Amino acid sequence: MSEKYTAPPKDGREANERLRRVAQQGRPIIGSGAGIGLTAKCVEKGGADLIILYNSGRYRMAGRGSLAGLMPYGDANAIVLDMAKEVIPVVNHTPVLAGVCASDPFRDIPKFLRTLIDAGFVGVQNFPTVGLIDGNFRKNLEETGMGYDREVELMRAAKELGLLTTPYVFNENEAEAMARVGVDVVVAHMGLTTGGSIGADTAMSIDDAVELTDRIVQKVHAIAPDTLVLVHGGPVSSSEDAQYVLQRVKGLAGFYGASSMERLPVEVAMQEGMRKFKALSLAGK
């Protein structure tokens, strides 16, 4: 942000006002996932408008694929609370959001949201999300009370508590459901990010991402014209990719990156740094 904030926003309303000032100035809103404290410090210094913590960030920065966050390898909501202790103290002014597993059957979600507020979070995102799951498994989740509707209800509860709401949506129906709740930001999710050593190979084309993003933007703005819409994931894995989509989708307000913000830059920088060290020469050689 160009504004010189000296502290994080005190609540979701203030965080939303900051984002809207960015949009009103004609600049893209840029959100970043953070799996470790160093990432949060660096993206804040680089000017990120949002920092989002969720369990996949921890797995990703441990060298595992982001979809580990959807597998039964740990308590997603507990991991986010643990990450808060590492990340929130090193963030000086940027809003920090929590990824919440809304279908967790062992959490009272409204109560958990209040715990997140006490931990220093000012907003939420729906992650892990069943939106990344398809086929019969997805149908079974929906049929047994662990579907996307739980994520819609998460956003409704978060709005009531004054948190910034920035849900992932994967299609027009989900975009409509979230828009009708009155969320602050809709993030059009294009699938698992491609590229790097642990990125996906299977993804839609960048032009397909443009088309889907445009449909989501139109659906959201037909219901809630002032709702901000960002794009994330899939083939949109670099600043150049994000620029390509932003230039082609009218009404798109920005980009949210996770792997593209921390995993991919780290992979490139560390490999190149090691190559330079390995290219050193000894005296007389």
Side-chain angles (χ1 to χ4, degrees):
M1 297 180 180
S2 59
E3 293 83 355
K4 300 298 182 182
Y5 297 112
T6 58
K10 63 179 181 294
D11 54 25
R13 180 193 56 78
E14 185 177 332
N16 190 29
E17 289 175 353
R18 291 190 188 185
L19 295 182
R20 292 188 176 279
R21 280 197 287 272
V22 175
Q24 289 164 2
Q25 293 164 8
R27 296 184 292 116
I29 294 165
I30 304 298
S32 174
I36 56 176
L38 181 61
T39 297
K41 292 183 72 170
C42 290
V43 298
E44 180 174 64
K45 288 182 178 180
D49 300 300
L50 290 170
I51 294 173
I52 303 91
L53 311 188
Y54 54 85
N55 66 333
S56 275
R58 173 159 291 180
Y59 291 125
R60 181 166 53 241
M61 297 310 287
R64 277 67 176 182
S66 294
L67 285 185
L70 273 69
M71 299 298 287
Y73 304 147
D75 181 339
N77 289 328
I79 288 171
V80 165
L81 273 178
D82 189 58
M83 292 171 72
K85 294 183 292 185
E86 176 180 344
V87 174
I88 289 178
V90 301
V91 174
N92 294 317
H93 57 77
T94 309
V96 181
L97 281 58
V100 178
C101 181
S103 59
D104 184 341
F106 299 102
R107 296 276 181 182
D108 178 323
I109 292 299
K111 182 177 179 180
F112 182 61
L113 291 176
R114 289 190 285 272
T115 300
L116 293 175
I117 292 171
D118 291 341
F121 290 104
V122 297
V124 294
Q125 190 167 62
N126 53 326
F127 195 91
T129 170
V130 300
L132 282 167
I133 301 171
D134 55 16
N136 286 334
F137 184 39
R138 171 67 179 272
K139 291 179 182 178
N140 292 161
L141 288 170
E142 300 286 351
E143 293 164 353
T144 55
M146 293 176 279
Y148 191 82
D149 60 328
R150 298 289 297 276
E151 300 176 27
V152 176
E153 290 307 310
L154 161 69
M155 293 300 152
R156 194 186 311 278
K159 284 286 293 181
E160 291 175 358
L161 289 172
L163 287 159
L164 183 73
T165 47
T166 68
Y168 280 139
V169 306
F170 298 81
N171 55 51
E172 292 161 90
N173 290 337
E174 293 167 0
E176 178 176 355
M178 290 298 188
R180 292 196 182 282
V181 168
V183 298
D184 303 299
V185 180
V186 166
V187 183
H189 200 307
M190 299 294 109
L192 189 64
T193 301
T194 59
S197 62
I198 54 176
D201 292 323
T202 302
M204 67 180 73
S205 70
I206 189 74
D207 288 317
D208 286 341
V210 168
E211 182 180 346
L212 176 56
T213 302
D214 184 62
R215 294 202 307 270
I216 288 173
V217 169
Q218 290 187 46
K219 176 61 71 173
V220 170
H221 287 168
I223 299 164
D226 294 332
T227 299
L228 300 167
V229 183
L230 313 182
V231 67
H232 166 76
V236 192
S237 61
S238 68
S239 58
E240 293 80 9
D241 298 329
Q243 184 66 79
Y244 186 91
V245 179
L246 285 166
Q247 287 183 333
R248 287 163 175 79
V249 180
K250 186 177 180 179
L252 186 62
F255 172 71
Y256 164 55
S259 292
S260 56
M261 294 292 184
E262 61 174 355
R263 175 177 64 81
L264 292 171
V266 164
E267 287 189 31
V268 172
M270 293 189 72
Q271 290 178 48
E272 181 59 25
M274 181 51 66
R275 291 189 187 102
K276 289 180 179 179
F277 277 109
K278 288 297 293 181
L280 299 176
S281 58
L282 302 175
K285 301 294 184 181

